[in-house]
């Protein structure tokens, strides 16, 4: 009980920005139990086909034409409705599921893009968010290359959004990685710049 309660207090401190301490309260235990249940359900979300890709259009304000979009991942958990990425992405990063989810996202977006190309000559560029944990995986580039090869969609049709804090972590390694991504013809952008 002591270790479980200490863990709940530690997680509470982390959620509130870290670099702080918290005393355990019974409410923390309820949050920890709910979090543990979500983590367990997240492990089966891909095999149960509970993830959904939504696309937010990017519009040229001069003529109202759709010039691309942003891929947005949602988790439709039966009995709970939509689970916010703010809730499940940190869980995915903690459990190392982020690599598998990231690969699922890329395959899904590539397959959707290929079907759009059958309907529209140039669907525009689609942006996809990347997590620091994905970029830290040794096989990240190999997996991305294989998805593009497998789906037959050109990497130039995509833009990877990377947060500023991700770039600042191990800057030299990130620059080499970004150079390799750019060499694949992927477009890159910095998300949450200035935060």
């Amino acid at each position: 009980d002591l270790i479980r309660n200490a863990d709940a207090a530690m997680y509470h401190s982390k959620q509130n920005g870290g670099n702080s301490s918290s005393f355990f309260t019974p409410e923390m235990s309820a949050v920890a139990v709910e979090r543990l249940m979500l983590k367990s359900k997240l492990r089966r979300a891909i095999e149960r086909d509970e993830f959904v890709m939504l696309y937010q259009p990017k519009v040229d304000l001069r003529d109202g034409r759709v010039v691309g979009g942003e891929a947005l991942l949602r988790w439709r958990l039966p009995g709970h409705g939509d689970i916010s990425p703010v809730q499940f992405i940190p869980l995915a990063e903690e459990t190392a599921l982020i690599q598998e989810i990231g690969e699922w996202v890329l395959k899904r977006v590539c397959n959707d893009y290929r079907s759009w190309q059958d309907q529209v000559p140039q669907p525009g560029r689609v942006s996809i968010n990347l997590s620091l944990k994905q970029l830290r995986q040794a096989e990240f580039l190999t997996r991305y290359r294989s998805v593009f090869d497998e789906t037959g969609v050109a990497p130039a049709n995509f833009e990877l959004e990377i947060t500023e804090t991700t770039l600042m972590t191990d800057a030299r390694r990130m620059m080499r990685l970004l150079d390799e991504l750019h060499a694949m013809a992927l477009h890159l952008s910095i998300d949450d710049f200035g935060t």
Side-chain angles (χ1 to χ4, degrees):
D1 286 348
L2 179 64
I3 292 171
R4 185 178 62 244
N5 294 347
D7 192 53
M10 179 190 65
Y11 176 71
H12 183 265
S13 290
K14 284 182 178 181
Q15 261 196 322
N16 291 324
N19 293 329
S20 66
S21 60
S22 297
F23 291 98
F24 173 77
T25 63
E27 294 80 36
M28 288 179 192
S29 186
V31 169
V33 167
E34 181 181 335
R35 196 167 173 280
L36 190 60
M37 295 298 290
L38 269 182
K39 207 184 267 192
S40 171
K41 291 176 181 183
L42 183 60
R43 292 183 195 282
R44 295 184 298 263
I46 291 178
E47 65 192 48
R48 291 183 176 174
D49 201 26
E50 295 172 349
F51 286 122
V52 176
M53 287 307 308
L54 302 177
Y55 297 93
Q56 180 174 308
K58 292 183 181 180
V59 178
D60 186 331
L61 295 177
R62 292 171 292 193
D63 57 14
R65 196 172 46 90
V66 174
V67 293
E70 180 174 1
L72 304 170
L73 178 65
R74 297 295 180 260
W75 179 19
R76 297 231 162 109
L77 181 58
H80 288 80
D82 284 3
I83 306 293
S84 166
V86 173
Q87 278 184 283
F88 73 83
I89 294 297
L91 289 177
E93 289 177 337
E94 281 177 27
T95 59
L97 286 170
I98 195 66
Q99 189 70 25
E100 189 178 346
I101 292 170
E103 195 171 334
W104 181 91
V105 166
L106 184 62
K107 283 180 184 175
R108 178 61 189 261
V109 172
C110 284
N111 287 325
D112 288 348
Y113 196 90
R114 198 174 56 221
S115 71
W116 297 337
Q117 286 178 313
D118 294 339
Q119 301 164 28
V120 180
Q122 180 49 284
R125 191 179 306 146
V126 176
S127 59
I128 302 169
N129 289 299
L130 279 183
S131 122
L132 175 60
K133 296 274 183 162
Q134 285 176 272
L135 290 170
R136 282 186 172 162
Q137 297 294 321
E139 66 278 356
F140 169 77
L141 282 171
T142 307
R143 285 181 173 206
Y144 261 54
R145 280 190 186 104
S146 70
V147 170
F148 289 122
D149 290 343
E150 178 186 312
T151 59
V153 179
N157 296 314
F158 301 98
E159 177 178 272
L160 300 180
E161 290 187 6
I162 303 161
T163 63
E164 179 185 11
T165 50
T166 297
L167 289 175
M168 300 314 293
T169 317
D170 193 3
R172 283 194 180 140
R173 182 181 179 282
M174 283 301 150
M175 289 308 297
R176 284 193 307 269
L177 186 59
L178 295 179
D179 284 342
E180 289 188 57
L181 291 169
H182 190 261
M184 289 171 60
L186 280 159
H187 298 266
L188 304 167
S189 68
I190 300 174
D191 200 15
D192 299 334
F193 186 73
T195 56

